[in-house]
Amino acid sequence: MASDLDKLFADAFSRANNTQKKFAPDVQLRLYAYYKQATKGDNFSFNNEEHNLRNAFKFNAWIQLKGMDENEAKRNYIKLVNSILK
C-alpha cells in the first residue's frame, strides 16, 4: 500500500516527465539527484561503459545528497516540481 507521500511523489514525477516545459540544466540535475536518492538511497552506481561528462554531472549531483533520507528526497523532489510547474 502506497503512502500519501509515495502518491504525491509519483504524481510529481509524472507531471515533470509529461510537461512540454524545458528545464534549465541545473534544475534537471537537481530533479535527477532527488529522484535517484528517493528511489535508490545511498546505493550509488556509475556506469563506466557510458562514461561521459553528462553522466559524471548526474552522478555528482546524486552523490552530493549522500545520507539524505529517502522520504526527505521525495519531499524535496515534490517541492521542486511544484515550484517550477505551477
Side-chain angles (χ1 to χ4, degrees):
M1 186 166 96
S3 70
D4 288 343
L5 181 60
D6 291 333
K7 290 175 187 173
L8 290 171
F9 178 69
D11 179 60
F13 179 76
S14 178
R15 289 175 48 223
N17 277 345
N18 293 323
T19 185
Q20 298 297 319
K21 183 175 182 174
K22 285 293 255 178
F23 302 128
D26 64 315
V27 172
Q28 290 178 12
L29 285 173
R30 288 182 17 224
L31 286 170
Y32 173 84
Y34 286 137
Y35 178 82
K36 291 297 274 191
Q37 191 65 20
T39 59
K40 303 286 185 189
D42 287 343
N43 297 315
F44 304 110
S45 62
F46 185 71
N47 187 347
N48 284 331
E49 295 172 9
E50 296 182 33
H51 183 36
N52 61 40
L53 188 58
R54 182 174 177 254
N55 285 343
F57 276 108
K58 288 167 61 175
F59 184 73
N60 183 52
W62 179 20
I63 206 165
Q64 288 181 34
L65 300 181
K66 182 177 182 179
M68 180 181 283
D69 175 78
E70 292 174 11
N71 287 333
E72 182 181 355
K74 288 178 183 178
R75 286 189 291 273
N76 285 327
Y77 184 95
I78 294 163
K79 183 178 177 181
L80 180 55
V81 169
N82 288 340
S83 73
I84 55 181
L85 296 178
K86 297 176 183 181

